[in-house]
Amino acid sequence: MAAEAIYQNSSSPDKQMAFVDGASHNIVPEKAAERFAGEFGDTVRNCFEHVNSWLEERF
């Protein structure tokens, strides 16, 4: 998996790998993977809430 390789090769001591359930590569919900409409919720919001939390912990 590319994300894992990038994570493992990062020299930063402060790193975290996270995945947004149901998100496509563009962060939006992957509609084709949904079993029912709206299954994955607001993947864009979920992504940026995680990024915001990560940043708030550090800065």
Side-chain angles (χ1 to χ4, degrees), residues 19-40:
F19 297 90
V20 178
D21 190 34
S24 71
H25 288 278
N26 296 324
I27 311 173
V28 298
E30 184 58 63
K31 302 282 187 191
E34 290 181 334
R35 291 175 288 181
F36 56 88
E39 176 180 9
F40 299 123

